[in-house]
Amino acid sequence: MVSLQNLTFAWDANVPVLNIPAFQMEPGERVFLHGASGSGKSTFLGILGGVLRPTSGEVCVLGEPLGGMRAHKADRFRADHLGIIFQMFNLLPYLSILENVLLPCRFSTLRAAHARESRDLADEADRLLSALGLPRDITHRPVTALSVGQQQRVAAARALIGRPALIIADEPTSALDTDLRSDFVHLLLQECELNETGVLFVSHDKSLSPLFDRTVELESINHIVRREVS
Amino acid sequence: MSWSTLFHIAWKSIINRRVTTMLTVAAIAVSVTLFLGVEKIRSGAQAGFSSTVSGTDLIVGARSGAINLLLYAVFRIGDATNNVTWESYLDITSRNDVAWAIPISLGDSHRGFRVMGTTQAYFEHYRTGDKKLLGFSQGRQFGALFETVIGADVARELGYAVDQKIVIAHGIGAVSFAKHDNLPFTIVGVLERTGTPVDRTVHVTLAGIEAIHVGWEGGAAPRGKARIGADAVAELELQPTSITAFLLGLKTRIGVLTAQREINRYADEPMMAIIPGVALTQLWSVVGVADTALTAIAAFVILTGLFGLMTNILSSLHERRREMAILRSVGARASHIFILLVSEAIMLATAGSMVGILLVQAVIAVAAPQIVKATGVFIGSPGVTHFDLGTVLGVVFIAALLALVPAWGAYRHSLSDGLTVRM
Ligand SMILES: Nc1ncnc2c1ncn2[C@@H]1O[C@H](COP(=O)(O)OP(=O)(O)OP(=O)(O)O)[C@@H](O)[C@H]1O
Ligand SMILES: [Mg+2]
C-alpha cells in the first residue's frame, strides 16, 4: 500500500529533515506515527500526500510511484485516493458543512462515483457525519458556529467520503480534550475498517496508540544525522 | 475539477469578505463612471463642436487669428478687432466662383443673447453639422426691417413666441443700459433646435442693424432730434458701411484654396479667409488638450481602483493561506489556487465596471438634459456603446494582469507549504 525506499528530503539543502531507508504499510493497515516536535512528521505526510517532492528515493503509494509523478498527476492521485485531516482549521468558513464534506467529490470524479454507489451525495455525507458522532440537528449551521471537536468530525467525514484508500491525519486530535480524543479516533477507525481504508495517524498522544495496528517512532526509521544549531 | 466549482468557491470566498469586497467594487465602479463620463462629455463636445457649421467653404473677416475669426463668426464668442467694409464684401462676392454669401454683423445683444444681422441668404445656405438647413418651429423668415427670428434657446429661456416685440441693447453685456428702445423688433419666427450657437442667437436683418444705429455714429445713444422713430428710419436708404464677417459658398470646392489665397492677398484691405473644417480642427486641438488631460486623470483613477483591488487580494492572502492548504489537501492543483485568485480579481473588476456602466447610464439619464441646457453640449442618450464595453474589457484585463502578483504568491506558497495549515 505504501512503500518507501531510501527516501531523503531537505527543505534547505544543508539541513536534511528525512532520511528513511525503508518504510512499509499493508493495505488497510492502521499505523500510529509518533515523533518529537520538529522531527519531520508533517513533512513526511506531505511527501506521502504527493504535495512535497522527495529530494531522492522512491515513494510508492497504492503501487504508484508518487515521488516521480508530474505535479498535476500527483494532485489528481491525492484527490482520488487520499483523505487528509489537519490538526485544526480544516474547514472553509464560507462553505456549508455539506459543501465542505463534499469538496473531494468536486475535485475527483472517482470519489464522487464511490460516494454515490449506495445513495446520493448529500445522504452519504449525512451518513458519515452521524457515523462520526455529529448531532443531526446541527448540520445546517454555518461551519464557523461549530466547536473544534465538531469541526474535526466534519473534517473526518470529508476525508472519508468516496472511500479513499488511505487516510492521512496530522495530529487531528491535539485540539480536543482527552475524552473526545479516543471517541473521535474510535469512530474514525471504525469507519475506515468498513472500507478497509489504510490510516497513517500522527500524534503526540501515546495513549491513543493501542487503538492502532502498529506504532512507528519516526526517529527509529529516520536516519538523519542531526546537526544541532548551537 | 470543473470550472464551475472553482468559480463557486471564488464567489463564496468573495461573499464571505463582503465589506472589503463591496468597497473594492465601489472604488472600481466610481472610477469607471468617472472615466466613461469624461469620455461621453468629450465625444459629445467634439461631435457638437464639429457639427457647428457645414457646407460653408470659406469664412472671411478682417485679418486677425484664424481661431479668433472662427470664434466670433461661428461660435459668436468674443469680438472682431476690425470690420470688413461693405465695398470689399461686394467686391469679393462678385467673384465668378462665389455661389452664395452670408454677411454677418455682430455687436449688439438682447438680454445676454447675441444679436446677429444677416440676410435671407442665411436661411437659404447656412447649414449645421448634419448638412441640414435651419428649420422653423414657429413662423417664418424675416422680411421687413424690424422683424427678427430667434433661436430655440432664446425662445425657451426667455419664454418668447411669435408676434412678441423685443428691444435690442447696444453692446454685448447681459445687462445693458444703452438700449435701442425707440426701435423695437417683432419676432416673426422661432428656429428649430440645432444644438449649435444658432440656438442662442437673435437674428435680424442687416438693414435693421443699420437702422437702430442711425444717430449712434458717435458711439453714444442719440438724444432729442437725433432719436428717430421706425417710420422715419424706414424712409432712409439703409446701406451698411461695414460688416463683421461673411460666409462664402463656392461653385466648386476645387477652387477653395485658390480663393482663400486670393482673399488673403486682397489689396484694398487686410482680410483673411479660413476653411471652417481646418479651423475647427485647429481650435479643437487647443480645447482638446484639457480634455486629454481629463481623460488621462480618469484613467489613472481607474488604475488606483485596480491597485486597491490588488491590495485587497494581497492582504487577504495572509489569512487565506489556510484556505489554500485545505483546497490543496482535497486535490486542488497549485494552478487551481492561481486561477482561483485571478478569477476572483476578474469577478470583482467585472462587477465594478458593470456597476460603473450602470452609474454612467443613470447619470446620463438624469443629467444630460441639464447639461445640454447649461452648456449646449449633448453628451448622448443612455445606451451602452462599444467604448463602454471596451473599457470593461480593458479594466477586467488589467485587473487580471495585476492579480497575477498575488496569484503567483499564493501559487508559490501552496507549493512550499506542503500539507500544513500555516497561520
Ligand atoms: N515550509 C517549510 N519551509 C522550510 N522549513 C520547513 C517547512 N516546514 C517545516 N520545515 C522544517 O522542517 C522540519 C520538520 O518540520 P515538520 O513540520 O515536518 O515537523 P513535525 O514533526 O510535524 O513537528 P510538529 O510535531 O511540531 O508538527 C522543522 O525543522 C521545520 O522547521
Ligand atoms: Mg507537524
Side-chain angles (χ1 to χ4, degrees):
Chain A
M1 166 100 129
V2 174
S3 92
L4 299 186
Q5 250 159 19
N6 301 323
L7 170 86
T8 66
F9 183 87
W11 285 103
D12 169 346
N14 305 317
V15 193
V17 176
L18 298 174
N19 177 2
I20 303 178
F23 173 77
Q24 307 277 336
M25 270 178 78
E26 300 306 317
E29 194 182 16
R30 287 154 316 163
V31 174
F32 184 83
L33 183 68
H34 185 259
S37 180
S39 59
K41 303 183 296 292
S42 298
T43 306
F44 183 52
L45 296 189
I47 292 169
L48 291 183
V51 178
L52 299 177
R53 328 252 82 194
T55 309
S56 70
E58 267 176 44
V59 183
C60 277
V61 178
L62 305 174
E64 297 275 343
L66 192 58
M69 250 183 221
R70 302 272 305 270
H72 71 270
K73 279 204 160 176
D75 293 330
R76 155 64 51 83
F77 184 84
R78 178 170 67 256
D80 283 346
H81 304 294
L82 304 180
I84 291 162
I85 312 171
F86 299 118
Q87 184 175 0
M88 57 196 312
F89 306 122
N90 270 288
L91 308 179
L92 296 181
Y94 46 82
L95 297 185
S96 70
I97 292 179
L98 183 67
E99 285 171 320
N100 263 290
V101 173
L102 293 181
L103 266 180
C105 302
R106 303 276 173 249
F107 285 85
S108 159
T109 45
L110 183 72
R111 295 277 287 274
H114 282 169
R116 260 196 217 100
E117 265 164 14
S118 42
R119 48 184 73 75
D120 76 33
L121 284 181
D123 289 345
E124 173 65 3
D126 267 350
R127 185 192 70 77
L128 279 169
L129 286 169
S130 48
L132 288 161
L134 195 75
R136 267 193 181 278
D137 54 328
I138 65 168
T139 49
H140 291 289
R141 286 200 198 159
V143 295
T144 45
L146 298 181
S147 74
V148 177
Q150 290 164 343
Q151 287 182 27
Q152 292 305 79
R153 286 166 209 275
V154 175
R158 181 176 68 202
L160 287 164
I161 198 154
R163 283 197 284 106
L166 177 65
I167 298 284
I168 291 177
D170 194 352
E171 307 190 48
T173 54
S174 64
L176 309 181
D177 52 46
T178 340
D179 301 343
L180 273 178
R181 282 183 195 176
S182 53
D183 179 45
F184 173 83
V185 175
H186 196 75
L187 292 174
L188 174 67
L189 293 180
Q190 214 169 36
E191 192 57 37
C192 290
E193 197 157 11
L194 275 176
N195 301 315
E196 290 185 42
T197 306
V199 179
L200 184 56
F201 189 101
V202 167
S203 179
H204 291 297
D205 184 2
K206 280 231 168 141
S207 69
L208 294 171
S209 69
L211 297 167
F212 292 82
D213 298 336
R214 182 157 66 104
T215 299
V216 174
E217 289 292 336
L218 184 61
E219 278 86 349
S220 70
I221 58 167
N222 187 13
H223 295 178
I224 53 158
V225 189
R226 277 208 173 266
R227 270 178 280 176
E228 290 301 327
V229 186
S230 53
Chain B
M1 88 173 281
S2 70
W3 291 99
S4 66
T5 312
L6 214 53
F7 276 108
H8 179 73
I9 290 174
W11 176 246
K12 287 279 184 113
S13 172
I14 287 175
I15 297 296
N16 188 47
R17 287 169 286 123
R18 59 178 85 68
V19 176
T20 44
T21 299
M22 264 154 51
L23 288 176
T24 310
V25 168
I28 294 175
V30 169
S31 61
V32 167
T33 307
L34 183 68
F35 183 76
L36 293 181
V38 166
E39 167 59 22
K40 301 243 181 250
I41 292 173
R42 194 196 66 76
S43 60
Q46 188 169 15
F49 191 82
S50 50
S51 68
T52 309
V53 60
S54 76
T56 296
D57 293 314
L58 287 173
I59 301 172
V60 186
R63 192 170 296 161
S64 63
I67 289 179
N68 189 37
L69 175 55
L70 183 74
L71 280 179
Y72 68 73
V74 172
F75 290 92
R76 293 155 204 178
I77 297 171
D79 284 301
T81 44
N82 262 310
N83 281 352
V84 177
T85 61
W86 188 245
E87 287 74 39
S88 305
Y89 169 73
L90 291 179
D91 189 23
I92 289 173
T93 53
S94 63
R95 286 168 59 97
N96 280 334
D97 53 353
V98 170
W100 51 262
I102 302 171
I104 291 173
S105 184
L106 297 161
D108 288 331
S109 66
H110 174 73
R111 296 178 67 180
F113 292 99
R114 282 299 186 94
V115 171
M116 186 178 102
T118 184
T119 61
Q120 270 91 352
Y122 185 70
F123 303 106
E124 282 152 27
H125 300 293
Y126 191 83
R127 289 166 200 268
T128 50
D130 37 13
K131 303 261 186 287
K132 259 184 24 202
L133 288 172
L134 300 171
F136 283 81
S137 63
Q138 286 178 45
R140 55 171 173 84
Q141 298 180 9
F142 49 60
L145 197 53
F146 292 111
E147 289 181 347
T148 170
V149 169
I150 58 178
D153 283 349
V154 182
R156 195 175 43 101
E157 283 178 36
L158 300 179
Y160 286 167
V162 165
D163 287 341
Q164 251 172 297
K165 282 196 188 318
I166 62 172
V167 165
I168 285 167
H170 193 65
I172 55 172
V175 182
S176 179
F177 298 104
K179 295 207 167 101
H180 302 289
D181 46 7
N182 52 331
L183 300 168
F185 282 74
T186 307
I187 300 172
V188 296
V190 177
L191 293 174
E192 275 168 9
R193 188 166 187 77
T194 61
T196 71
V198 171
D199 297 348
R200 308 189 65 80
T201 305
V202 173
H203 307 86
V204 299
T205 59
L206 216 48
I209 291 275
E210 286 308 311
I212 55 179
H213 288 101
V214 169
W216 285 63
E217 289 80 7
R223 289 173 200 286
K225 261 210 213 146
R227 197 178 153 98
I228 58 173
D231 301 338
V233 163
E235 283 163 19
L236 296 171
E237 181 125 347
L238 291 165
Q239 194 61 256
T241 53
S242 68
I243 55 174
T244 315
F246 55 98
L247 312 181
L248 283 184
L250 301 182
K251 285 180 182 141
T252 60
R253 305 209 64 187
I254 307 162
V256 171
L257 287 175
T258 318
Q260 185 189 23
R261 198 167 346 105
E262 285 170 13
I263 294 171
N264 284 341
R265 288 207 206 113
Y266 191 68
D268 298 353
E269 183 177 3
M271 280 206 285
M272 83 182 286
I274 58 172
I275 300 170
V278 175
L280 279 170
T281 312
Q282 245 174 35
L283 179 53
W284 183 252
S285 71
V286 176
V287 179
V289 171
D291 183 89
T292 310
L294 259 184
T295 308
I297 290 169
F300 276 109
V301 173
I302 289 196
L303 210 58
T304 315
L306 289 175
F307 277 122
L309 169 81
M310 185 167 102
T311 314
N312 177 23
I313 295 178
L314 262 178
S315 61
S316 76
L317 273 196
H318 181 69
E319 60 189 78
R320 291 166 72 199
R321 225 160 146 171
R322 226 190 269 159
E323 182 182 323
M324 304 303 166
I326 295 166
L327 287 171
R328 286 283 277 157
S329 79
V330 295
R333 297 182 198 170
S335 60
H336 285 145
I337 304 297
F338 189 86
I339 293 166
L340 192 70
L341 290 176
V342 174
S343 61
E344 204 176 294
I346 290 177
M347 283 189 212
L348 291 179
T350 311
S353 35
M354 290 300 183
V355 173
I357 286 194
L358 289 181
L359 273 177
V360 170
Q361 301 302 327
V363 168
I364 289 179
V366 174
Q370 319 286 339
I371 293 178
V372 172
K373 202 161 139 192
T375 64
V377 173
F378 184 62
I379 59 172
S381 36
V384 178
T385 63
H386 287 300
F387 185 85
D388 296 348
L389 295 180
T391 304
V392 173
L393 282 184
V395 168
V396 171
F397 179 74
I398 296 173
L401 222 57
L402 288 177
L404 293 181
V405 176
W408 179 247
Y411 175 83
R412 297 297 306 276
H413 285 159
S414 67
L415 284 182
S416 68
D417 283 356
L419 277 180
T420 36
V421 175
R422 272 171 212 282
M423 304 285 292

